Amino acid sequence: MAHDEFSLIRQWTSRSNGQEGDGLTVGIGDDAAVFSPTPEMEVVACCDAMVETVHFLRETMKPADIGYKAVISNISDIAAMGGIARYALVSIAVSPSYTDEEYRQIYDGIYEACEQYGVRVIGGDTVSSPRSLHLSVTVLGEVEAGRAIRRSQARPGQLVFVTGHVGSSAAGLHLLLAKNEPEAKWLPLVEAHQRPAAQIQAGRLLQASGVCGALNDVSDGLASELWEIAEASDVTIRIAAESIPIREEVLAYARVSRKEPLDWALYGGEDYQLVGTVSEDGLAALSQQFAEKGIPFTVIGRVEGNGKNVLVTRDGQQMTLNKAGFNHFVHVEEKKG
Amino acid sequence: MAHDEFSLIRQWTSRSNGQEGDGLTVGIGDDAAVFSPTPEMEVVACCDAMVETVHFLRETMKPADIGYKAVISNISDIAAMGGIARYALVSIAVSPSYTDEEYRQIYDGIYEACEQYGVRVIGGDTVSSPRSLHLSVTVLGEVEAGRAIRRSQARPGQLVFVTGHVGSSAAGLHLLLAKNEPEAKWLPLVEAHQRPAAQIQAGRLLQASGVCGALNDVSDGLASELWEIAEASDVTIRIAAESIPIREEVLAYARVSRKEPLDWALYGGEDYQLVGTVSEDGLAALSQQFAEKGIPFTVIGRVEGNGKNVLVTRDGQQMTLNKAGFNHFVHVEEKKG
């Protein structure tokens, strides 16, 4: 990529929403950014990368979607600590496979996500890549000191919940890969894949409630996230397959495409919902708060005891949930039978 | 890359020096890391990426050097704000071109740099890359509130200085690309390229002195950095080519290889020294402090007035310094003559 194209990208970066003021002492344009942390808060920091052909294809993600999702996946990690997202650093490796106009659109997506969640772009790096586009985003946020929600704090007796619906992103990806022009009724699934939402508001309710045990975001699929909580907390979790909240459109599209929707919910990932545990006596008040905010909140199981295990029941049968990956629940059941 | 190879890399990451305690509330292994900022300090954040074939070749950088330098280039940005580096997030995109053992060595380099500068690895991401190795590192540090040194604060009358020596990294790179087995006497140049030092100590002296105007680190060459200061501060800088501190080995290797050492010093970059401005009445005390610490500190010019310009004098001739890139000083002079 020619030097003047780098200048172009720097221009898009420096249309920055990271103007100084309100805690930001030095924004984009110096060796490093400088900000004042809010008193009584701790800093929350995470970093997620997205690579062309590995995490997305040109066919499944428009340039603006790529930028948008790279930011959202990080904001989601802040949500999973119960925090507020505040700042982003964007490292982009630009490949010849995208045009200048497409890079502008990628930045449109980055800034759109940042503006929706009140995040300022305060820095980053622009380099070239010989083949694939790489986006690596760091998001910095904050949470009340000593009050971050960790995945290691699930305790026996707590209930297991998930926010929103799961499996929608995987269904949307299946639809995009099938390369049919999606019918209008499936568009919500495509949007769930390309324009996911981060659950900052849900995370803040959980943080403030004081009754949330462990918390994870559903980036790698419900199964993988439940296993992470079980292992980090040294507990056995049991969930009921029938309780898992799956959108009507996902069930309908699964019927049409002869797929098992539960596979998408358990192993698909990228829903960016929150999954966690909550003490039973805190449930009623918390459910009420979620209902008031219009955020679906579903109890899907219980922490049963110690021992690093995740069990799932379905149609009266019980099995250990596969840890991760696209191992098909249905096939495993068939082998069992 | 197979799933179990990812696990391996995660293992190397989680040998983490990011154990909790001393301000770190949540280290590696959760959705995000959490730390308590030091009271009265602001947070300094920067991000730098390195890409195989773009920023380095397998022939010029051993795996451990790659990891080491990716961290140092970021710590150097913290130094250029007058700050202390504290935490790092490492995003790696692993390509099939390196072996498991080589990835282990890359992490050896990462941790070696972090340990030397008291930096903890608190997070990151491991993804795969279809071809080139990508390393994107974010470093978080801190600086006394309101006391970060910015590149926009050069003022007429101030002197222009540089720490250490410049041009060594470029000379080392030239030597490595020439693919001769380097003689022992040139090894310091190779080391300057592969194992540069970040000038945190110098940055802290400058920060504490209260007499430093603008500051940059020499990552893109002295010319580019001086221009950044001149443009950000709206000043005219004049430097004397003869004053630029160049190591004896660089001069000797330049003679042998029939190159112009000043080109390396002005346009080579990656020396990670600090260049900045200081008020004249603060110079004596500051020079004394640098001498006591054994850090070379050289005055190379002066801020002459306003107007976004960088002039260089050599052999009594004056010219505008090329802004950046490998435009050869000597050739320009010849054209002038």
Side-chain angles (χ1 to χ4, degrees):
Chain A
M1 176 164 270
H3 186 73
D4 55 341
E5 285 177 299
F6 270 117
S7 306
L8 254 182
I9 290 183
R10 292 213 185 89
Q11 247 175 39
W12 301 325
T13 309
S14 66
R15 72 179 154 179
S16 172
N17 59 355
Q19 303 309 314
E20 290 154 23
D22 191 22
L24 186 65
T25 309
V26 182
I28 272 183
D30 216 309
D31 298 288
V34 184
F35 64 90
S36 295
T38 307
E40 318 300 327
M41 302 289 266
E42 290 184 295
V43 179
V44 184
C46 62
C47 172
D48 243 356
M50 270 175 63
V51 180
E52 185 188 352
T53 76
V54 178
H55 298 88
F56 61 87
L57 302 170
R58 288 185 67 101
E59 293 74 34
T60 58
M61 295 278 280
K62 291 186 291 289
D65 299 332
I66 295 164
Y68 190 89
K69 197 163 174 175
V71 172
I72 291 296
S73 69
N74 279 284
I75 296 181
S76 177
D77 282 322
I78 303 288
M81 304 302 286
I84 306 161
R86 295 203 58 194
Y87 302 111
L89 297 107
V90 178
S91 170
I92 186 169
V94 296
S95 84
S97 56
Y98 288 80
T99 65
D100 286 359
E101 172 57 21
E102 287 174 321
Y103 282 113
R104 201 187 53 71
Q105 291 166 3
I106 289 170
Y107 275 88
D108 284 343
I110 289 169
Y111 281 99
E112 191 183 337
C114 285
E115 275 151 27
Q116 278 181 14
Y117 289 86
V119 170
R120 290 171 171 194
V121 179
I122 59 168
D125 197 10
T126 306
V127 298
S128 64
S129 168
R131 198 162 64 179
S132 304
L133 168 67
H134 287 235
L135 259 180
S136 181
V137 178
T138 298
V139 170
L140 304 174
E142 53 188 28
V143 69
E144 288 74 9
R147 297 284 306 278
I149 311 178
R150 306 180 61 162
R151 63 177 58 148
S152 57
Q153 286 162 350
R155 298 289 174 263
Q158 290 175 340
L159 299 169
V160 177
F161 68 86
V162 65
T163 66
H165 300 87
V166 286
S168 308
S169 175
L173 177 61
H174 181 277
L175 204 146
L176 287 162
L177 290 174
K179 292 185 183 175
N180 298 323
E181 198 58 45
E183 295 174 51
K185 65 180 166 184
W186 308 138
L187 283 179
L189 308 184
V190 171
E191 184 167 329
H193 182 71
Q194 293 175 337
R195 293 279 169 147
Q199 302 300 318
I200 289 285
Q201 200 182 14
R204 294 300 286 165
L205 285 181
L206 292 161
Q207 195 280 331
S209 73
V211 295
C212 183
L215 195 62
N216 257 7
D217 72 322
V218 185
S219 50
D220 293 331
L222 203 53
S224 169
E225 307 300 340
L226 287 167
W227 269 104
E228 281 188 351
I229 291 172
E231 292 185 332
S233 302
D234 189 18
V235 294
T236 293
I237 289 170
R238 181 193 305 269
I239 61 163
E242 287 81 0
S243 310
I244 296 173
I246 301 178
R247 288 178 71 131
E248 189 48 51
E249 292 94 333
V250 172
L251 298 173
Y253 178 67
R255 281 192 296 273
V256 170
S257 56
R258 299 185 182 187
K259 292 287 169 187
E260 170 56 65
L262 205 53
D263 280 351
W264 289 333
L266 289 172
Y267 307 113
E270 299 197 344
D271 291 306
Y272 302 117
Q273 295 297 332
L274 298 179
V275 55
T277 65
V278 59
S279 66
E280 198 158 1
D281 57 2
L283 181 67
L286 200 57
S287 293
Q288 174 75 20
Q289 290 184 303
F290 272 83
E292 281 164 12
K293 300 284 185 192
I295 307 169
F297 179 92
T298 312
V299 172
I300 61 169
R302 183 181 287 272
V303 184
E304 296 213 323
N306 296 325
K308 296 187 172 67
N309 201 3
V310 183
L311 305 168
V312 57
T313 55
R314 188 189 189 191
D315 302 331
Q317 282 196 301
Q318 174 181 307
M319 55 177 289
T320 291
L321 188 61
N322 283 315
K323 204 174 259 188
F326 290 89
N327 299 304
H328 297 280
F329 186 93
V330 174
H331 295 175
V332 176
E333 276 214 323
E334 280 166 0
K335 263 189 258 167
K336 267 193 56 153
Chain B
M1 175 162 272
H3 185 74
D4 55 341
E5 285 176 299
F6 270 116
S7 307
L8 255 181
I9 289 183
R10 291 213 184 89
Q11 247 176 38
W12 302 326
T13 308
S14 66
R15 72 178 153 179
S16 170
N17 58 356
Q19 302 308 314
E20 290 154 22
D22 191 23
L24 185 65
T25 309
V26 181
I28 272 184
D30 216 310
D31 298 287
V34 183
F35 64 90
S36 294
T38 307
E40 317 301 326
M41 301 290 265
E42 290 184 295
V43 178
V44 184
C46 62
C47 172
D48 243 356
M50 269 175 63
V51 180
E52 183 188 353
T53 76
V54 178
H55 298 88
F56 61 89
L57 301 171
R58 288 185 67 101
E59 292 74 36
T60 58
M61 296 278 280
K62 291 187 291 292
D65 298 332
I66 296 164
Y68 189 90
K69 196 163 174 175
V71 172
I72 291 295
S73 69
N74 279 284
I75 296 180
S76 177
D77 282 323
I78 303 288
M81 305 302 286
I84 306 162
R86 295 202 58 194
Y87 303 111
L89 297 107
V90 179
S91 170
I92 185 168
V94 296
S95 83
S97 56
Y98 288 79
T99 65
D100 286 359
E101 172 56 22
E102 287 173 321
Y103 282 113
R104 202 186 54 70
Q105 291 166 3
I106 289 170
Y107 275 89
D108 284 344
I110 289 169
Y111 281 99
E112 192 183 336
C114 286
E115 275 150 26
Q116 278 181 14
Y117 290 86
V119 170
R120 290 170 170 192
V121 179
I122 60 168
D125 198 9
T126 307
V127 298
S128 64
S129 170
R131 198 162 63 183
S132 305
L133 167 67
H134 287 235
L135 259 180
S136 180
V137 178
T138 298
V139 169
L140 304 174
E142 53 189 27
V143 68
E144 288 73 9
R147 297 284 306 277
I149 311 178
R150 307 181 60 162
R151 63 177 58 148
S152 56
Q153 287 163 349
R155 298 289 174 263
Q158 290 175 340
L159 300 170
V160 177
F161 68 84
V162 65
T163 66
H165 300 88
V166 286
S168 308
S169 176
L173 178 60
H174 181 277
L175 203 146
L176 287 162
L177 290 174
K179 291 186 184 177
N180 298 325
E181 198 58 44
E183 295 174 51
K185 64 180 166 184
W186 309 137
L187 283 178
L189 308 184
V190 171
E191 185 167 328
H193 182 71
Q194 293 174 335
R195 293 281 169 147
Q199 302 300 318
I200 290 285
Q201 200 182 15
R204 294 300 285 165
L205 284 181
L206 292 161
Q207 195 280 329
S209 74
V211 294
C212 184
L215 195 62
N216 257 7
D217 72 323
V218 185
S219 50
D220 293 331
L222 203 53
S224 170
E225 307 300 341
L226 287 168
W227 268 103
E228 282 189 350
I229 291 173
E231 292 186 331
S233 301
D234 189 17
V235 294
T236 292
I237 289 171
R238 181 193 305 267
I239 62 163
E242 287 81 1
S243 310
I244 296 172
I246 301 178
R247 287 178 72 130
E248 189 48 52
E249 293 94 331
V250 172
L251 298 174
Y253 178 67
R255 281 192 298 272
V256 170
S257 56
R258 300 185 181 188
K259 293 288 169 186
E260 170 54 67
L262 204 54
D263 279 350
W264 289 333
L266 289 172
Y267 306 114
E270 299 197 344
D271 291 306
Y272 302 117
Q273 295 297 333
L274 298 179
V275 56
T277 65
V278 60
S279 65
E280 198 158 2
D281 57 3
L283 181 68
L286 199 58
S287 292
Q288 174 74 19
Q289 288 184 304
F290 272 82
E292 280 164 13
K293 299 284 184 189
I295 308 169
F297 179 92
T298 311
V299 172
I300 60 169
R302 182 182 288 272
V303 183
E304 296 213 323
N306 296 325
K308 294 188 173 67
N309 200 4
V310 182
L311 306 168
V312 56
T313 54
R314 188 188 189 190
D315 302 330
Q317 282 196 302
Q318 174 180 305
M319 56 177 289
T320 291
L321 187 60
N322 283 316
K323 204 173 262 190
F326 291 87
N327 300 304
H328 297 281
F329 186 94
V330 173
H331 295 176
V332 176
E333 276 213 326
E334 280 166 0
K335 265 189 257 166
K336 269 192 55 154

